[in-house]
Every structure is written in C-alpha cells, then in structure tokens.
Amino acid sequence: MTQVHRVSKLLISIALLLALFLTALPNVSHAASVTITNGPVWNDTTGGSIQAHGGSIIKVGSTYYWIGEDKLNNSANFSNVVCYSSTDLKNWAWVSYPLKTTSAAELASSKIERPKVIYNSTTGKYVMWMHYENGTDYSLGRVAVASSSSVCGSYTYHGSFRPMNYESRDLTVFKDDDGTAYLVSASNKNGGANDSMAIFQLSSDYLSVASFKTWYSDNGYREAPAVVKQGGKYFLITSQASGWYPNQGGYSTATSMAGPWTAVAPLGNTSTFATQSTFVLPIQGTSTTSYLYMADRWNSSALGTSRYIWLPLTLNGSSGTASLEWYSSWNLDAATGSITYPSTLTNLSQGKTATASTSASGYAASNANDGNYQTSWKASAATWPSWWQVDLGSTKTVKEIDISWYMVKGSEGYHQYKIEYSTNGTSYTTIDRTSNTTYGFTTDSLNISARYIRIQLVNAVLWNNPSNWYTPTLWEVKVLGS
C-alpha cells in the first residue's frame, strides 16, 4: 500500500468517527434573533393569549420561565399564577399553573399580584413572593410566600403576613450575587398606603423576612418596584402610585441595597410609554449582557387584555444613569445577548421648525420636538381644538408618529386627536384619531409622504372629571421614517 493510500484511508476513518460522534450528540436548539413587537396581543405557542401580568422571568439552564398573573377573568381577583417557557424570549409555551385558587383555603377568594420567583441554591427550592389581599378590597397589605422543588411545579403555599408588621403591596424580590435576597415593597412608614417603600433582607431560606434594611422615597408614593444590578450599582425602578393609570417612571441608584439611594430621576417619557414597570431581566449572552425592561400596559376595564411592553433598558453603573426609549419593534438574540434596532427608521422631526396655533410664554412649539421628554409646548389658553405643526424640510416617507401627551397623575386624561399631513403646507389629508382611549402615549403606524405634520388636539377626556380643564400640551412628537 502506498503512503498516499495509507493517508487517504486514515482520513476516511477519522471522518467516519467524527460523523458517529456528532450523531451521538444530543439535539440542541439554539436561540436566534427574534423581533419583539410592542402593542399587539401576544399569544403563546397554542394561539392563546399569554396571561403573565405583573410577572417576572427566571432562567434555568438554557430555558427562560415567565411567571405571572392569569387575568382571563378580567378581574383583579386571583385566578391562577401561570408559568410559560421559552428559549428565545419570543416564543412562549404554556407549562402549568404553579399556584391556583385551590392551593390554599385563603386563596379561594383573594387577590394575588406581582408573583416573583427566585431560586435558593442551599435548599434547592424555588420561592415565590406575592402581594396578597382579600377578595373585596386592598385593606390587608400583605405578602404571600410559596415554594416548590421545580420552577413550574406545584407550589406549597406558606401563608400571608405583613413583613415585620409593615404593610406591603406592590413588591419585588431580588437575589444578589452572593445569594443574599431582598424584598422591596410599597409600604406605609408615615401611615398612608404606599407612602414609602421598604427594603427588607430575606432569611437564608428565602421564606421569611430576616431584617429591615431601609426606607426608600419617603412620602414619595412609589410602587411597581424592579431591581437590577449593573457595574457595581443597584438600580431601583419604580412608578408613581396612580392605580391602573400610567405615569412618569423613575429610577434611583445605590452601592448597597441598604442605601443611601439617589433621588428619583425620570425614566422614559412622562407616562413611561403608557406602561408600569414589573421586572428587569438581565440577558447574559455569549457576546454581551443586555437588560430588558418588562412592563404592563394595563386595561382596567378588561385586565386580561392588558398588553406587555418590553423595551431595551440602557444602564451605566459607572455614571449611575439609566435610559429608556420607545421602539415599536426591535430585535433580540437571547443566545448572544445582542440587541438591534430597525435601521430604516430615523427621527425626522427633531430640531426641525415647529409652529403652533398659540404658545404660552416659556413653552415654545420647538419644545415638542427637541428630543427631551421633560420639556413641552403648551398653548396660551385652555382653548380646544389647538394645533402644533412641524416642517420636515422636504417631503419624506413617514412610517410612524409617536406622541407623548400631557397627563396629570390623579386626573388622567386621554386625548382625541387628528393627524394632518401635507406636501405643500396648503392642502392637508386628515387621519382621524378621535376614537383614541390610550393614556399618555400613542403610536400611529403609517406609510405616507409628507413635509408638514400637524397634530390637531381636539379634546382631552378626563376619567375623574367631566369637564376638560387641560390646556393643550405636547411633551414630545417624534415623526419616524426614512
């Protein structure tokens, strides 16, 4: 046999062995880039609407588990805690009801909100903390605790109580790098429901509270807490307390869960894009770690139809800053941790010439397209309708218009409006949005050619006051396109 034949025979043998080895490997599926779309109903893999409101996500191995509230009965009262699984954070399969009304006697008529699950590596238990109330009102202000040996298994209910005798309503739990776990909840330091937030350290088995750490936002009336750690800094995200209505979200930072915490800084726009925070998920990939802001867009009249809004959250532990921007859709690769954005959309209106029907002193029309959610255009009087307009400079293809509306916490109003567009500033086409009922923030998907975009503020409908006393105001208008 020649040397060439020996080498060829050896190579063939190696190839056969390699093929046999690869065949013997388990069939492992890898996550790929998926598109997260905000606004529509999200369905699970069977086509049913996902019911995981006020929830959180925990990763076990390569699988993510989303655990939240079942609101299919459209009621605030407890029905089930639901568990879904996914490998890519897009396609969710229903797994089980880890906690049901039959799990304990006091759950038969109750409210269970914001279930959060953490894993205790010492006991091998998954521990679920929840806000507990009776089935008629919100007078109890308790936490509830349950545990299971598997993430989506049947949880053993351990009861409800007030932590260290303090009221507790909206809550979250956070597991630190060293395994220490904390409870953060809306409490009552000064006697008013939700007037201050309390931070507790949990016991070593995570089933009870071990100690009180600090008060946060004294008399600030904050709720909907979510905690994440980045760059050695703890970030605490909260909303204001305004029932089911959205408001300006905020964040604070600290180098210890015991504080001191910085003053609340605004996060996102003035309604946090019509959402309320529920959880922040670190997505640790092979290339980078990204952070996912998870929120609910509540529909108080039919809670089961409330939408999920997921947005990339930018954190900088070194500077202690966080930022949140709106994207109707964006791409996520759970395997690599990378996030990408639509390359075809740019803000065509920022810094362009803006005019209005009238403007109050200090509230110029240009404030509504300066890229700053905290500045606004306001009309000179409470006169309806009023209008605001931007000149894009030349005719552009417009795909989306995002509007941040004026809204006062406690007297929330939604706006009835029209979008008018023109190529010459003389002849306008109207898109009627007077049927709008979304509070604080609207997104209109379009496909038009326009140079001039005019927003007609027709009316504001206030939920707790039949008279519209608002002065026409816009915080920010973003005209997106190419």
Side-chain angles (χ1 to χ4, degrees):
M1 183 181 290
T2 65
Q3 183 67 24
V4 172
H5 287 159
R6 289 193 185 94
V7 172
S8 298
K9 191 172 182 180
L10 178 62
L11 290 174
I12 292 170
S13 299
I14 292 172
L16 287 171
L17 287 171
L18 181 60
L20 288 171
F21 173 74
L22 291 173
T23 303
L25 285 175
N27 183 19
V28 178
S29 61
H30 298 280
S33 181
V34 296
T35 300
I36 304 297
T37 303
N38 289 308
V41 173
W42 290 3
N43 294 323
D44 62 22
T45 54
T46 67
S49 66
I50 294 175
Q51 294 295 313
H53 307 284
S56 64
I57 291 177
I58 182 172
K59 188 178 184 183
V60 181
S62 60
T63 303
Y64 294 93
Y65 294 92
W66 186 5
I67 299 170
E69 307 166 38
D70 179 359
K71 295 293 189 186
L72 267 179
N73 60 7
N74 290 324
S75 167
N77 281 6
F78 177 53
S79 176
N80 299 289
V81 170
V82 192
C83 183
Y84 298 87
S85 68
S86 174
T87 57
D88 61 7
L89 293 169
K90 167 74 172 183
N91 299 289
W92 292 95
W94 184 92
V95 179
S96 67
Y97 293 129
L99 200 69
K100 300 178 284 187
T101 55
T102 56
S103 297
E106 74 171 12
L107 295 176
S109 176
S110 65
K111 295 182 182 70
I112 289 291
E113 298 178 344
R114 298 185 175 271
K116 303 292 186 284
V117 173
I118 51 177
Y119 178 68
N120 191 301
S121 57
T122 301
T123 64
K125 298 288 187 180
Y126 294 89
V127 182
M128 182 188 301
W129 284 72
M130 302 150 279
H131 171 206
Y132 176 88
E133 297 286 353
N134 61 44
T136 56
D137 56 36
Y138 280 87
S139 62
L140 294 182
R142 295 180 184 172
V143 298
V145 183
S147 66
S148 172
S149 57
S150 61
V151 64
C152 285
S154 179
Y155 276 64
T156 299
Y157 187 72
H158 299 295
S160 65
F161 59 94
R162 284 186 173 181
M164 302 186 73
N165 207 32
Y166 290 114
E167 290 183 2
S168 175
R169 290 186 170 83
D170 276 12
L171 61 76
T172 193
V173 287
F174 170 72
K175 181 180 176 180
D176 209 344
D177 303 330
D178 62 359
T180 305
Y182 300 89
L183 165 69
V184 182
S185 70
S187 191
N188 65 325
K189 175 186 177 184
N190 304 300
N194 298 334
D195 65 30
S196 304
M197 197 160 281
I199 301 178
F200 306 89
Q201 183 173 320
L202 299 187
S203 59
S204 59
D205 60 7
Y206 301 169
L207 296 178
S208 62
V209 168
S211 62
F212 174 83
K213 302 303 290 185
T214 190
W215 290 107
Y216 167 76
S217 189
D218 193 0
N219 276 326
Y221 289 90
R222 312 292 301 182
E223 60 182 18
V227 179
V228 66
K229 189 178 183 181
Q230 197 277 338
K233 283 275 179 65
Y234 299 89
F235 288 79
L236 174 53
I237 292 172
T238 56
S239 77
Q240 299 175 59
S242 59
W244 299 109
Y245 298 95
N247 54 61
Q248 174 69 73
Y251 73 95
S252 298
T253 64
T255 56
S256 166
M257 285 295 291
W261 291 89
T262 60
V264 179
L267 183 68
N269 79 342
T270 48
S271 68
T272 327
F273 308 112
T275 74
Q276 186 180 45
S277 52
T278 183
F279 194 69
V280 176
L281 175 68
I283 305 168
Q284 296 177 322
T286 56
S287 300
T288 188
T289 298
S290 299
Y291 298 89
L292 174 61
Y293 168 83
M294 296 172 55
D296 295 282
R297 179 174 286 175
W298 297 110
N299 178 4
S300 59
S301 61
L303 288 171
T305 67
S306 300
R307 302 292 198 259
Y308 309 104
I309 303 297
W310 287 6
L311 295 169
L313 178 65
T314 302
L315 302 174
N316 188 324
S318 298
S319 62
T321 57
S323 62
L324 187 71
E325 186 51 82
W326 172 259
Y327 297 96
S328 293
S329 65
W330 54 283
N331 298 318
L332 166 66
D333 189 325
T336 64
S338 62
I339 288 172
T340 55
Y341 306 102
S343 58
T344 57
L345 292 182
T346 58
N347 188 351
L348 305 174
S349 55
Q350 185 168 329
K352 297 298 174 61
T353 301
T355 54
S357 51
T358 63
S359 296
S361 177
Y363 296 90
S366 58
N367 286 355
N369 62 319
D370 61 358
N372 183 353
Y373 288 121
Q374 306 302 315
T375 61
S376 65
W377 159 76
K378 182 166 69 174
S380 59
T383 302
W384 297 79
S386 292
W387 59 264
W388 175 94
Q389 178 174 281
V390 63
D391 177 359
L392 303 180
S394 61
T395 299
K396 303 290 178 66
T397 300
V398 176
K399 297 290 189 179
E400 180 175 318
I401 297 178
D402 299 333
I403 305 176
S404 299
W405 299 97
Y406 178 75
M407 189 176 67
V408 177
K409 187 177 79 72
S411 56
E412 293 80 357
Y414 58 82
H415 285 71
Q416 299 169 332
Y417 64 101
K418 296 177 181 179
I419 297 173
E420 299 173 343
Y421 64 94
S422 171
T423 57
N424 56 20
T426 304
S427 176
Y428 285 80
T429 301
T430 299
I431 301 172
D432 194 322
R433 293 292 188 259
T434 54
S435 61
N436 172 61
T437 57
T438 300
Y439 292 83
F441 179 74
T442 56
T443 296
D444 286 287
S445 296
L446 311 167
N447 188 11
I448 61 174
S449 295
R451 172 173 175 172
Y452 301 92
I453 300 291
R454 180 182 293 170
I455 310 301
Q456 284 278 1
L457 290 80
V458 177
N459 191 28
V461 180
L462 279 60
W463 74 270
N464 65 352
N465 190 327
S467 301
N468 175 12
W469 50 264
Y470 278 10
T471 299
T473 302
L474 293 174
W475 287 100
E476 192 72 13
V477 179
K478 295 193 175 184
V479 179
L480 305 179
S482 58

